Amino acid sequence: MTEHSLWRFSRALHRAINDREPEDLEALIDDDVDWTIYGPVDMFTFLGARHGKEAVLDVCRKIAENVRIHRFERESVMLGENSAASMMRYSLTALNSNRPISLRIANFAQFKAGRLISMRVLVDTFDLIEQALGSPIHLPKIA
Amino acid sequence: MGDDGNRQCVLAFIRAYYEGDAATALACCADDFDSITYAPVDLFPHLGHKHGKAWVTEAIAIQQQRYSSRKHEVVFIAADGPKIATMTRAALTKQNDGRVVQMDVAEFFRLANGRIVEHRSFFDSFDFVQQVLGHDLSESFAASVRGAMQS
């Protein structure tokens, strides 16, 4: 049975971030990849939309410069023929402040010939910002 | 129920949720329905961890009160047996000022006997808060966050 592209991609991504070795990842990203991590780009430079392999590798470099992954757990994974969706729980450290960050991430990936062609990532950004700040944001109730 | 039945159940739930059809949405859910929407519950008290089908009716009612028009498009769906994941693009028109707020929502469902028993949801909550309030909050926090994050 052939290994699903998600597993290869996931291993290569973690290697690129924690070990700063992006070679494996580079081989698994399509030249025309479409990539978005939704969130405030003026706070986290590695968030936002990117197009093309070089831009995505640059984002991964930026993530590696900013955080270290300590632990992750796949809470839910759905594998399609050329697609995958997963809900992950990550324990990270912000390298500059040494502040621990714990967050859940939703990933939606599409592959073609074993290479990533599309990635969408959603995070509870309000929680992420509060953790990065180290204090709650106080706003009035909305609903 | 097979994979396609589960997929249809989830799509019917999402459609009913945005169309305000509580009866159909409820019919898609098991009695012990459990939902977590990962969002700031101080700001959105109707989100967070909710157990039981009653939440579905409550959440739909709140959406109807707040938004005069609720459009949606499921842009990604992945199914794996009893587990379904979707990404939905929603455009909501606010009742009080007519402004349209947009968000992409990730939802993870688990079904049993053809009904949804578990629902987990995420969205770019900071962006949504800014859109609902109608002003940019990032300026207030950007420098502090950048200082904490960037090497």
Side-chain angles (χ1 to χ4, degrees):
Chain A
M1 196 174 191
T2 312
E3 184 182 43
H4 195 281
S5 301
L6 177 70
W7 306 129
R8 282 196 298 276
F9 178 80
S10 178
R11 282 197 302 272
L13 180 64
H14 289 136
R15 195 155 181 234
I17 292 172
N18 269 5
D19 303 333
R20 301 196 184 193
E21 291 180 11
E23 294 78 12
D24 292 350
L25 185 65
E26 192 175 348
L28 297 173
I29 297 176
D30 191 85
D31 289 344
D32 279 329
V33 65
D34 194 35
W35 168 289
T36 303
I37 308 176
Y38 295 86
V41 294
D42 44 357
M43 295 187 195
F44 304 94
T45 56
F46 48 86
L47 301 183
R50 302 289 193 281
H51 188 83
K53 184 193 281 193
E54 282 310 312
V56 169
L57 289 171
D58 184 54
V59 164
C60 295
R61 269 192 293 274
K62 284 197 170 88
I63 294 172
E65 288 165 3
N66 281 275
V67 300
R68 177 167 181 80
I69 299 168
H70 286 290
R71 201 172 63 233
F72 69 94
E73 179 190 348
R74 295 185 181 94
E75 294 188 326
S76 189
V77 180
M78 275 131 280
L79 302 177
E81 191 179 349
N82 286 304
S83 64
S86 58
M87 181 166 67
M88 315 274 288
R89 185 164 179 79
Y90 276 95
S91 297
L92 312 171
T93 300
L95 293 177
N96 197 36
S97 63
N98 211 29
R99 191 167 280 156
I101 293 176
S102 170
L103 73 165
R104 277 195 181 76
I105 293 176
N107 297 289
F108 298 89
Q110 288 180 290
F111 300 92
K112 185 178 168 188
R115 293 182 174 208
L116 184 77
I117 58 168
S118 173
M119 176 68 99
R120 296 284 180 274
V121 179
L122 280 151
V123 186
D124 174 4
T125 44
F126 204 92
D127 180 50
L128 172 62
I129 291 164
E130 287 188 324
Q131 290 190 61
L133 287 170
S135 61
I137 297 170
H138 296 291
L139 293 170
K141 280 185 184 174
I142 291 171
Chain B
M1 187 177 275
D3 285 9
D4 194 53
N6 288 337
R7 179 192 288 249
Q8 293 310 319
C9 175
V10 164
L11 291 174
F13 174 81
I14 293 171
R15 187 168 54 246
Y17 182 81
Y18 287 105
E19 289 179 354
D21 179 357
T24 300
L26 282 173
C28 299
C29 300
D31 289 339
D32 57 347
F33 176 84
D34 187 83
S35 174
I36 302 177
T37 301
Y38 297 100
V41 292
D42 290 347
L43 301 176
F44 303 102
H46 68 293
L47 302 181
H49 189 192
K50 304 289 176 182
H51 193 77
K53 288 167 81 166
W55 171 79
V56 175
T57 309
E58 183 196 342
I60 288 173
I62 288 171
Q63 276 231 347
Q64 287 179 309
Q65 286 163 16
R66 305 255 157 205
Y67 306 107
S68 57
S69 165
R70 301 167 305 279
K71 295 180 179 163
H72 80 284
E73 180 191 3
V74 176
V75 295
F76 188 107
I77 183 162
D80 195 345
K83 296 186 293 181
I84 310 271
T86 59
M87 187 165 155
T88 300
R89 188 155 296 152
L92 312 172
T93 305
K94 288 178 67 190
Q95 289 276 14
N96 61 351
D97 59 12
R99 284 190 301 109
V100 177
V101 294
Q102 296 185 71
M103 61 176 167
D104 289 310
V105 186
E107 289 173 281
F108 293 80
F109 301 88
R110 186 172 60 80
L111 292 90
N113 301 316
R115 301 272 175 92
I116 300 164
V117 289
E118 191 177 282
H119 169 250
R120 302 289 182 260
S121 178
F122 299 78
F123 54 93
D124 179 353
S125 48
F126 189 77
D127 181 60
F128 188 68
V129 168
Q130 290 186 114
Q131 289 187 65
V132 170
L133 293 175
H135 61 260
D136 185 3
L137 298 170
S138 58
E139 208 171 283
S140 314
F141 306 111
S144 304
V145 171
R146 280 199 302 266
M149 291 300 296
Q150 291 178 354
S151 55

